[in-house]
mmCIF file of all heavy atoms in Angstrom:
data_model
loop_
_atom_site.group_PDB
_atom_site.id
_atom_site.type_symbol
_atom_site.label_atom_id
_atom_site.label_comp_id
_atom_site.label_asym_id
_atom_site.label_seq_id
_atom_site.Cartn_x
_atom_site.Cartn_y
_atom_site.Cartn_z
ATOM 1 N N LEU C 110 -43.601 14.575 -29.692
ATOM 2 C CA LEU C 110 -42.907 15.228 -28.572
ATOM 3 C C LEU C 110 -41.865 14.482 -28.031
ATOM 4 O O LEU C 110 -40.743 14.854 -27.833
ATOM 5 C CB LEU C 110 -43.951 15.661 -27.449
ATOM 6 C CG LEU C 110 -43.350 16.538 -26.379
ATOM 7 C CD1 LEU C 110 -42.869 17.931 -26.725
ATOM 8 C CD2 LEU C 110 -44.351 16.639 -25.155
ATOM 9 N N LEU C 111 -42.139 13.164 -27.712
ATOM 10 C CA LEU C 111 -41.155 12.342 -27.018
ATOM 11 C C LEU C 111 -40.059 12.132 -28.059
ATOM 12 O O LEU C 111 -38.885 12.136 -27.559
ATOM 13 C CB LEU C 111 -41.733 10.911 -26.735
ATOM 14 C CG LEU C 111 -40.914 9.937 -25.947
ATOM 15 C CD1 LEU C 111 -40.803 10.573 -24.617
ATOM 16 C CD2 LEU C 111 -41.751 8.697 -25.824
ATOM 17 N N PHE C 112 -40.262 11.887 -29.371
ATOM 18 C CA PHE C 112 -39.080 11.733 -30.146
ATOM 19 C C PHE C 112 -38.274 12.919 -30.245
ATOM 20 O O PHE C 112 -37.049 12.812 -30.296
ATOM 21 C CB PHE C 112 -39.713 11.411 -31.750
ATOM 22 C CG PHE C 112 -38.663 11.048 -32.498
ATOM 23 C CD1 PHE C 112 -37.751 9.866 -32.459
ATOM 24 C CD2 PHE C 112 -38.205 11.944 -33.618
ATOM 25 C CE1 PHE C 112 -36.782 9.578 -33.330
ATOM 26 C CE2 PHE C 112 -37.202 11.665 -34.440
ATOM 27 C CZ PHE C 112 -36.554 10.510 -34.309
ATOM 28 N N TRP C 113 -38.931 14.106 -30.335
ATOM 29 C CA TRP C 113 -38.129 15.240 -30.338
ATOM 30 C C TRP C 113 -37.165 15.438 -28.990
ATOM 31 O O TRP C 113 -36.070 15.843 -29.164
ATOM 32 C CB TRP C 113 -39.138 16.571 -30.340
ATOM 33 C CG TRP C 113 -38.496 17.793 -30.415
ATOM 34 C CD1 TRP C 113 -38.059 18.520 -31.572
ATOM 35 C CD2 TRP C 113 -37.978 18.768 -29.394
ATOM 36 N NE1 TRP C 113 -37.461 19.626 -31.297
ATOM 37 C CE2 TRP C 113 -37.242 19.856 -30.016
ATOM 38 C CE3 TRP C 113 -37.997 18.490 -27.982
ATOM 39 C CZ2 TRP C 113 -36.755 20.813 -29.300
ATOM 40 C CZ3 TRP C 113 -37.449 19.677 -27.304
ATOM 41 C CH2 TRP C 113 -36.749 20.644 -27.937
ATOM 42 N N VAL C 114 -37.742 14.974 -27.916
ATOM 43 C CA VAL C 114 -36.927 14.915 -26.760
ATOM 44 C C VAL C 114 -35.633 14.035 -26.878
ATOM 45 O O VAL C 114 -34.507 14.388 -26.454
ATOM 46 C CB VAL C 114 -37.793 14.479 -25.414
ATOM 47 C CG1 VAL C 114 -36.865 14.283 -24.250
ATOM 48 C CG2 VAL C 114 -38.861 15.538 -25.103
ATOM 49 N N PHE C 115 -35.938 12.853 -27.447
ATOM 50 C CA PHE C 115 -34.885 11.848 -27.651
ATOM 51 C C PHE C 115 -33.841 12.421 -28.534
ATOM 52 O O PHE C 115 -32.619 12.377 -28.273
ATOM 53 C CB PHE C 115 -35.428 10.628 -28.302
ATOM 54 C CG PHE C 115 -35.833 9.602 -27.488
ATOM 55 C CD1 PHE C 115 -36.894 9.758 -26.475
ATOM 56 C CD2 PHE C 115 -35.314 8.353 -27.630
ATOM 57 C CE1 PHE C 115 -37.333 8.871 -25.644
ATOM 58 C CE2 PHE C 115 -35.687 7.315 -26.708
ATOM 59 C CZ PHE C 115 -36.864 7.641 -25.700
ATOM 60 N N VAL C 116 -34.263 13.169 -29.605
ATOM 61 C CA VAL C 116 -33.316 13.846 -30.518
ATOM 62 C C VAL C 116 -32.451 14.824 -29.657
ATOM 63 O O VAL C 116 -31.207 15.007 -29.993
ATOM 64 C CB VAL C 116 -33.938 14.297 -31.840
ATOM 65 C CG1 VAL C 116 -32.954 15.147 -32.649
ATOM 66 C CG2 VAL C 116 -34.495 13.257 -32.634
ATOM 67 N N ALA C 117 -33.094 15.607 -28.915
ATOM 68 C CA ALA C 117 -32.513 16.663 -28.103
ATOM 69 C C ALA C 117 -31.308 16.124 -27.358
ATOM 70 O O ALA C 117 -30.348 16.803 -27.176
ATOM 71 C CB ALA C 117 -33.457 17.456 -27.386
ATOM 72 N N THR C 118 -31.660 14.992 -26.725
ATOM 73 C CA THR C 118 -30.544 14.420 -25.733
ATOM 74 C C THR C 118 -29.289 13.835 -26.523
ATOM 75 O O THR C 118 -28.356 13.562 -25.971
ATOM 76 C CB THR C 118 -31.091 13.261 -24.978
ATOM 77 O OG1 THR C 118 -31.509 12.159 -25.894
ATOM 78 C CG2 THR C 118 -32.331 13.463 -24.252
ATOM 79 N N LEU C 119 -29.508 13.821 -27.916
ATOM 80 C CA LEU C 119 -28.223 13.542 -28.565
ATOM 81 C C LEU C 119 -27.096 14.600 -28.400
ATOM 82 O O LEU C 119 -25.820 14.265 -28.496
ATOM 83 C CB LEU C 119 -28.488 13.611 -30.090
ATOM 84 C CG LEU C 119 -29.268 12.467 -30.686
ATOM 85 C CD1 LEU C 119 -29.588 12.626 -32.113
ATOM 86 C CD2 LEU C 119 -28.475 11.155 -30.422
ATOM 87 N N MET C 120 -27.634 15.742 -27.880
ATOM 88 C CA MET C 120 -26.529 16.769 -27.739
ATOM 89 C C MET C 120 -25.735 16.634 -26.350
ATOM 90 O O MET C 120 -24.897 17.476 -26.070
ATOM 91 C CB MET C 120 -27.085 18.112 -27.955
ATOM 92 C CG MET C 120 -27.427 18.546 -29.412
ATOM 93 S SD MET C 120 -28.007 20.211 -29.528
ATOM 94 C CE MET C 120 -29.680 20.116 -28.847
ATOM 95 N N VAL C 121 -26.384 15.803 -25.631
ATOM 96 C CA VAL C 121 -25.720 15.697 -24.185
ATOM 97 C C VAL C 121 -24.364 14.916 -24.089
ATOM 98 O O VAL C 121 -24.333 13.919 -24.471
ATOM 99 C CB VAL C 121 -26.694 14.981 -23.171
ATOM 100 C CG1 VAL C 121 -26.014 14.929 -21.818
ATOM 101 C CG2 VAL C 121 -28.004 15.744 -23.119
ATOM 102 N N PRO C 122 -23.172 15.738 -23.855
ATOM 103 C CA PRO C 122 -22.024 14.912 -23.898
ATOM 104 C C PRO C 122 -21.770 14.087 -22.610
ATOM 105 O O PRO C 122 -22.420 14.465 -21.554
ATOM 106 C CB PRO C 122 -20.981 16.047 -23.897
ATOM 107 C CG PRO C 122 -21.675 17.302 -23.700
ATOM 108 C CD PRO C 122 -23.092 17.076 -23.573
ATOM 109 N N GLN C 123 -21.021 13.072 -22.721
ATOM 110 C CA GLN C 123 -20.882 12.091 -21.571
ATOM 111 C C GLN C 123 -20.183 12.797 -20.334
ATOM 112 O O GLN C 123 -20.671 12.567 -19.227
ATOM 113 C CB GLN C 123 -20.060 10.950 -21.929
ATOM 114 C CG GLN C 123 -20.550 9.644 -21.283
ATOM 115 C CD GLN C 123 -19.505 8.891 -20.881
ATOM 116 O OE1 GLN C 123 -18.475 8.624 -21.394
ATOM 117 N NE2 GLN C 123 -19.669 8.094 -19.668
ATOM 118 N N VAL C 124 -19.380 13.748 -20.643
ATOM 119 C CA VAL C 124 -18.677 14.428 -19.506
ATOM 120 C C VAL C 124 -19.600 15.222 -18.625
ATOM 121 O O VAL C 124 -19.321 15.477 -17.513
ATOM 122 C CB VAL C 124 -17.369 15.171 -19.958
ATOM 123 C CG1 VAL C 124 -17.870 16.452 -20.853
ATOM 124 C CG2 VAL C 124 -16.630 15.671 -18.846
ATOM 125 N N VAL C 125 -20.724 15.633 -19.261
ATOM 126 C CA VAL C 125 -21.801 16.423 -18.453
ATOM 127 C C VAL C 125 -22.526 15.592 -17.462
ATOM 128 O O VAL C 125 -22.784 16.008 -16.382
ATOM 129 C CB VAL C 125 -22.785 17.083 -19.450
ATOM 130 C CG1 VAL C 125 -23.871 17.720 -18.691
ATOM 131 C CG2 VAL C 125 -22.058 18.190 -20.368
ATOM 132 N N VAL C 126 -22.646 14.317 -17.769
ATOM 133 C CA VAL C 126 -23.634 13.512 -16.890
ATOM 134 C C VAL C 126 -22.736 12.663 -15.931
ATOM 135 O O VAL C 126 -23.180 12.109 -15.215
ATOM 136 C CB VAL C 126 -24.466 12.580 -17.715
ATOM 137 C CG1 VAL C 126 -25.472 13.377 -18.528
ATOM 138 C CG2 VAL C 126 -23.706 11.588 -18.678
ATOM 139 N N VAL C 127 -21.352 12.779 -16.182
ATOM 140 C CA VAL C 127 -20.535 11.894 -15.273
ATOM 141 C C VAL C 127 -20.507 12.087 -13.925
ATOM 142 O O VAL C 127 -20.632 11.162 -12.931
ATOM 143 C CB VAL C 127 -18.989 11.670 -15.904
ATOM 144 C CG1 VAL C 127 -18.279 12.917 -15.572
ATOM 145 C CG2 VAL C 127 -18.439 10.385 -15.355
ATOM 146 N N VAL C 128 -20.625 13.377 -13.515
ATOM 147 C CA VAL C 128 -20.609 13.746 -12.069
ATOM 148 C C VAL C 128 -21.955 13.394 -11.456
ATOM 149 O O VAL C 128 -21.982 12.620 -10.496
ATOM 150 C CB VAL C 128 -20.185 15.204 -11.955
ATOM 151 C CG1 VAL C 128 -20.470 15.568 -10.488
ATOM 152 C CG2 VAL C 128 -18.798 15.466 -12.271
ATOM 153 N N PRO C 129 -23.043 13.904 -12.095
ATOM 154 C CA PRO C 129 -24.451 13.436 -11.494
ATOM 155 C C PRO C 129 -24.664 11.952 -11.413
ATOM 156 O O PRO C 129 -25.085 11.448 -10.495
ATOM 157 C CB PRO C 129 -25.301 14.240 -12.278
ATOM 158 C CG PRO C 129 -24.631 14.752 -13.427
ATOM 159 C CD PRO C 129 -23.227 14.835 -13.151
ATOM 160 N N LEU C 130 -24.216 11.289 -12.522
ATOM 161 C CA LEU C 130 -24.407 9.827 -12.568
ATOM 162 C C LEU C 130 -23.561 9.150 -11.284
ATOM 163 O O LEU C 130 -24.058 8.121 -10.844
ATOM 164 C CB LEU C 130 -24.000 9.266 -13.830
ATOM 165 C CG LEU C 130 -25.044 9.255 -14.912
ATOM 166 C CD1 LEU C 130 -24.577 8.530 -16.194
ATOM 167 C CD2 LEU C 130 -26.331 8.500 -14.520
ATOM 168 N N TYR C 131 -22.375 9.576 -11.294
ATOM 169 C CA TYR C 131 -21.621 9.062 -10.079
ATOM 170 C C TYR C 131 -22.321 9.286 -8.761
ATOM 171 O O TYR C 131 -22.436 8.445 -7.915
ATOM 172 C CB TYR C 131 -20.203 9.728 -9.947
ATOM 173 C CG TYR C 131 -19.464 9.637 -8.656
ATOM 174 C CD1 TYR C 131 -18.783 8.443 -8.447
ATOM 175 C CD2 TYR C 131 -19.545 10.663 -7.671
ATOM 176 C CE1 TYR C 131 -18.131 8.365 -7.231
ATOM 177 C CE2 TYR C 131 -18.991 10.498 -6.444
ATOM 178 C CZ TYR C 131 -18.267 9.275 -6.252
ATOM 179 O OH TYR C 131 -17.640 9.152 -4.925
ATOM 180 N N LEU C 132 -22.864 10.496 -8.499
ATOM 181 C CA LEU C 132 -23.551 10.776 -7.396
ATOM 182 C C LEU C 132 -24.874 9.779 -7.162
ATOM 183 O O LEU C 132 -25.075 9.257 -6.133
ATOM 184 C CB LEU C 132 -24.056 12.156 -7.183
ATOM 185 C CG LEU C 132 -22.949 13.179 -7.060
ATOM 186 C CD1 LEU C 132 -23.381 14.657 -7.239
ATOM 187 C CD2 LEU C 132 -22.304 13.132 -5.765
#
Side-chain angles (χ1 to χ4, degrees):
Chain C
L110 177 70
L111 190 62
F112 184 69
W113 187 86
V114 172
F115 271 59
V116 172
T118 59
L119 283 176
M120 285 186 289
V121 179
Q123 219 219 324
V124 64
V125 170
V126 295
V127 74
V128 170
L130 274 183
Y131 162 83
L132 290 173

